[in-house]
Amino acid sequence: MNPHVGIAWQIGSTFGWGVYGTQLALGLTRRGRLPTLLESPGPLTLDALEAVRLKPAMDFRPRLIELIQKQGEGPIVCQFPVLHARGNNAELQFGRLSPRTRGTANHACIFFERTTFSPDAISQLNGFDSVIAGSAWNGAYLRGLGVCNVVDIVQGVDASRFFPAPRRRLLGDRFAIYSGGKIEYRKGQDLVAAAFRAFRQRHDDAVLVTSWHNAWPRAEGVRQIMASRVFDGSELLDGEGRIDVLRWLSLNGVPGGSVIALPEIPNALLPPVIRECDVAIFPNRCEGGTNLVAMETLALGVPSLLSANTGHMDLLDRQIGFALGDQSAVPEAASNPDYDVWGESSVEEIIERLEAVYQKRDAFREVARAHARLMEDLSWTRQIDRLMDHLDIAPLKPGH
């Protein structure tokens, strides 16, 4: 049996697709398989044992590059199964070689937020042996479009790192609010900013801890949040076109010293930072998957407020997290069907929820610890094993 299994997108430690790919690669090694990385890894932070486990894959890359170069611009034919990454309208995700690559079986892993799919995109998806949807709503929507062989398998969380543990009290007695995810309209940081500005006027001990790094300041989602009707985003970019969160918030009335803007942090180093926080908020307008950052705050036992829409429902339907139930249509839905399923969280409800946590922190933490126990069933180990079982990628016996 050929031990290779192809991953046709970039793995890494600082972006969602990268973390997903890294966990897939590690999961394959647990089955004695050789993850075959068709794209060069992005920024990657591994512990010593993870590095040992992935060393054969890294060592094989020069040979793989040589084989690919021999193909010129022609098809890349692999004698092993290959997983491909797809997004809105079945567009490529971090995998330029994917369209040329064909394995003995080909499976699409897809997360999308826009609901318009061209006939060609549907045909492309139906050309895969299976389509793995990152959320129940993604899966249901694809089946409604006539996409065949769809299976819903949500992402996971690294339960060996993201779990409840004592806090170091590095923020003293301040009430710390965590918000993570790359800054863009879909993620709803304008809603977070508006709610925090009002909440901070009530409680001067509140501090907002942001992890909003976005490597694409000219992307559509950034342009959209700059045009937000909820919180003025016109000053989000500095004079050199770079995102400057502290400057943006300060110019909009958020007091200096009340925000800690974290730099880009590898996924594995986040747990001790997030544990210091009293609550996490995710008023995301849409999530194609379950929202990796929200899964991590939940697994850490931090009370987490989730917008009750799209991919978040895979968590809320499991009774994990605290729902932001007041969801209205986003203004864009009136003229663009791509936004029909998006939800706009109420700033007033966010403030009310923050106030409730502020007044009853111990009670909310107790419930959040129960949420963390439920998250154990969504560990990366279990979710990747479920994915491998679906793909029929059996463990290899020693010696193969």
Side-chain angles (χ1 to χ4, degrees):
M1 183 184 295
N2 193 325
H4 294 262
V5 177
I7 299 175
W9 70 86
Q10 191 178 49
I11 71 170
S13 300
T14 57
F15 58 104
W17 274 107
V19 171
Y20 186 22
T22 302
Q23 292 296 334
L24 275 171
L26 290 168
L28 286 164
T29 68
R30 288 195 299 271
R31 294 192 171 218
R33 297 305 194 107
L34 180 61
T36 305
L37 309 176
L38 278 86
E39 302 290 342
S40 299
L44 189 60
T45 301
L46 302 171
D47 66 32
L49 187 54
E50 289 171 334
V52 169
R53 298 294 288 176
L54 291 185
K55 187 176 186 301
M58 301 303 182
D59 289 346
F60 183 71
R61 273 208 46 80
R63 173 61 176 155
L64 178 64
I65 292 170
E66 180 183 334
L67 292 171
I68 290 172
Q69 289 175 341
K70 286 182 178 179
Q71 302 297 318
E73 296 301 317
I76 301 170
V77 179
C78 303
Q79 300 303 316
F80 48 81
V82 178
L83 289 92
H84 305 258
R86 294 295 185 268
N88 294 326
N89 198 33
E91 294 170 356
L92 294 177
Q93 301 294 305
F94 299 95
R96 60 186 179 83
L97 296 179
S98 174
R100 295 170 48 200
T101 305
R102 282 295 171 265
T104 53
N106 296 278
H107 305 275
C109 300
I110 188 168
F111 301 83
F112 62 89
E113 293 85 29
R114 305 295 181 87
T115 53
T116 299
F117 281 78
S118 68
D120 181 62
I122 295 171
S123 177
Q124 285 184 43
L125 292 175
N126 277 326
F128 287 99
D129 292 275
S130 77
V131 177
I132 298 106
S135 65
W137 90 265
N138 262 197
Y141 195 86
L142 290 175
R143 285 186 283 270
L145 292 176
V147 178
C148 304
N149 299 319
V150 178
V151 60
D152 307 340
I153 302 177
V154 305
Q155 295 176 92
V157 65
D158 187 345
S160 70
R161 291 188 171 107
F162 293 87
F163 55 86
R167 293 191 287 175
R168 297 171 294 169
R169 311 301 304 184
L170 294 179
L171 296 175
D173 293 327
R174 300 186 75 179
F175 182 74
I177 301 166
Y178 179 77
S179 174
K182 69 180 186 292
I183 188 165
E184 61 178 351
Y185 183 68
R186 182 176 65 81
K187 295 286 187 180
Q189 284 90 351
D190 53 330
L191 299 168
V192 173
F196 179 74
R197 180 173 59 188
F199 184 79
R200 182 63 167 65
Q201 291 172 357
R202 301 183 186 181
H203 303 288
D204 61 8
D205 60 334
V207 58
L208 178 63
V209 180
T210 69
S211 184
W212 290 350
H213 177 79
N214 189 331
W216 304 277
R218 299 185 184 278
E220 181 184 10
V222 175
R223 294 196 302 271
Q224 286 178 309
I225 201 170
M226 290 178 69
S228 168
R229 300 167 179 83
V230 178
F231 191 87
D232 183 3
S234 60
E235 299 290 344
L236 179 58
L237 302 184
D238 65 17
E240 298 182 10
R242 297 172 300 194
I243 293 171
D244 189 335
V245 168
L246 292 177
R247 172 178 170 273
W248 173 52
L249 295 175
S250 177
L251 289 173
N252 281 281
V254 178
S258 67
V259 180
I260 298 173
L262 301 173
E264 186 176 31
I265 299 175
N267 181 260
L269 302 182
L270 280 170
V273 176
I274 300 175
R275 282 195 194 100
E276 297 299 297
C277 298
D278 296 282
V279 63
I281 50 177
F282 300 97
N284 304 34
R285 292 178 170 94
C286 185
E287 281 294 328
T290 42
N291 186 349
L292 282 179
V293 186
M295 295 179 78
E296 290 163 356
T297 64
L298 288 162
L300 288 165
V302 175
S304 302
L305 314 181
L306 311 180
S307 55
N309 65 50
T310 57
H312 279 170
M313 298 310 299
D314 280 297
L315 300 170
L316 294 172
D317 286 347
R318 288 177 166 88
Q319 305 300 308
I320 304 175
F322 299 97
L324 296 171
D326 188 351
Q327 297 290 305
S328 59
V330 298
E332 292 78 4
S335 58
N336 189 335
D338 264 347
Y339 297 93
D340 282 351
V341 298
W342 289 37
E344 182 105 342
S345 296
S346 160
V347 172
E348 290 72 24
E349 184 183 17
I350 297 171
I351 296 168
E352 290 172 5
R353 285 287 192 164
L354 290 175
E355 185 67 33
V357 179
Y358 184 90
Q359 299 297 339
K360 299 181 179 180
R361 307 177 202 195
D362 291 342
F364 273 86
R365 273 207 172 264
E366 185 175 348
V367 177
R369 283 193 289 269
H371 293 166
R373 289 191 291 272
L374 293 173
M375 286 299 298
E376 292 174 7
D377 186 53
L378 293 176
S379 70
W380 274 121
T381 300
R382 293 186 181 185
Q383 292 306 97
I384 296 300
D385 280 347
R386 286 163 180 155
L387 177 58
M388 296 296 112
D389 289 342
H390 160 70
L391 301 177
D392 196 25
I393 296 177
L396 286 186
K397 296 179 181 178
H400 282 71

